Amino acid sequence: MSSSESTIGPGWRRIHLDEVGSTNDEARRLASEGAAHGTVVTAEHQTAGRGRQGRSWVVPAGQALTASIVVRGGGPLLPLAAAVAVAETAGSEARIKWPNDVLLPVGERLGKVAGVLAEGRPAEGWAVVGIGLNVAVELAALPPEVAATAATLGRSPAERDAVLDELTRQLDVALGLDPATLRERWSSRDALRGQQVRWEAPAAGDTGSGVAEGIDDDGRLRVRTDDGALRTLDAGDVHLVRGS
């Protein structure tokens, strides 16, 4: 596994790997060994990337930005800050689908352009934010079932470094926001608010449906259920109901 190191801005150290199973796993290892805040692990090709609920994140080599960032002192709203940073990087049309997807318009639908996965050890004061961002992915080259829900920035592979520079800059900004402002920035891009949704939380054996009403102070999703009750979700998968 060959690697190179560089500085990508004040306080940001980049470790770039030709190939790795998971950038998150490598960043977690470095964090546990004392890596500083702002250590960024990227890879030309990631063979075993993962998202939430143990899902895989697979993209063609050289077409996406796969980055995992060591964050120290990020606080409980770190996932919100990371999603806002990715959305700001993706552009004014980007929307955030709770809890961790960033979407862009593709024709008349919204497609997933990025996913965010935050993992860490709060007791040790660190977390790793894993980001997969489709910078130059050609949707037509993806399997049909993947292309049907995906989106891309439509930029060239050579622009991935520039996108990373922008992403780290935006994450710096988002991490510096006070909680109220951060929630406001997140809410301004909320893809679910006012929409009919259904949720599934397999670990808790919980399912249901209702209308999304934004997030609470802790970043949990509020849903007004079909019987009028207000539910607050802190885990699980949430899907737009077709036709809503």
Side-chain angles (χ1 to χ4, degrees):
M1 181 173 64
S2 61
S3 65
S4 60
E5 294 192 24
S6 61
T7 300
I8 54 176
W12 297 96
R13 167 197 176 213
R14 181 186 186 185
I15 300 171
H16 184 69
L17 306 172
D18 288 340
E19 181 174 299
V20 70
S22 164
T23 56
N24 255 37
D25 287 347
E26 182 65 12
R28 285 168 58 92
R29 182 186 68 80
L30 293 171
S32 69
E33 295 175 354
H37 173 87
T39 299
V40 183
V41 178
T42 60
E44 194 68 19
H45 183 42
Q46 181 175 240
T47 61
R50 64 181 183 277
R52 294 177 63 252
Q53 311 281 343
R55 297 186 183 90
S56 61
W57 175 276
V58 179
V59 293
Q63 296 183 14
L65 174 63
T66 53
S68 295
I69 303 167
V70 176
V71 176
R72 295 189 180 273
L77 298 184
L78 174 59
L80 299 189
V84 166
V86 174
E88 291 287 340
T89 302
S92 61
E93 293 186 300
R95 296 294 178 263
I96 304 170
K97 175 180 171 290
W98 187 92
N100 72 326
D101 290 345
V102 176
L103 313 177
L104 279 177
V106 181
E108 296 183 357
R109 66 173 176 87
L110 287 173
K112 181 176 177 178
V113 71
V116 179
L117 177 65
E119 304 177 305
R121 295 180 182 170
E124 297 179 18
W126 61 263
V128 166
V129 177
I131 297 166
L133 177 57
N134 293 341
V135 175
V137 172
E138 297 180 12
L139 298 184
L142 297 175
E145 66 276 10
V146 177
T149 60
T152 180
L153 295 184
R155 299 175 69 169
S156 75
E159 293 180 275
R160 285 179 299 155
D161 286 355
V163 172
L164 178 60
D165 288 347
E166 177 66 8
L167 176 60
T168 54
R169 188 182 73 81
Q170 292 293 349
L171 186 56
D172 248 344
V173 172
L175 289 173
L177 297 175
D178 63 84
T181 303
L182 175 60
R183 289 191 296 268
E184 181 182 334
R185 295 277 181 89
W186 193 100
S187 296
S188 71
R189 293 181 179 271
D190 188 351
L192 298 181
R193 189 179 185 96
Q195 301 294 316
Q196 185 76 24
V197 300
R198 59 181 174 84
W199 76 84
E200 303 168 359
D206 184 25
T207 62
S209 62
V211 176
E213 294 190 354
I215 57 174
D216 68 7
D217 288 351
D218 296 317
R220 298 175 299 184
L221 182 68
R222 300 179 299 186
V223 180
R224 184 70 61 179
T225 64
D226 298 334
D227 61 6
L230 183 63
R231 285 291 308 272
T232 303
L233 308 178
D234 58 8
D237 291 327
V238 177
H239 309 278
L240 279 168
V241 174
R242 189 179 299 275
S244 64

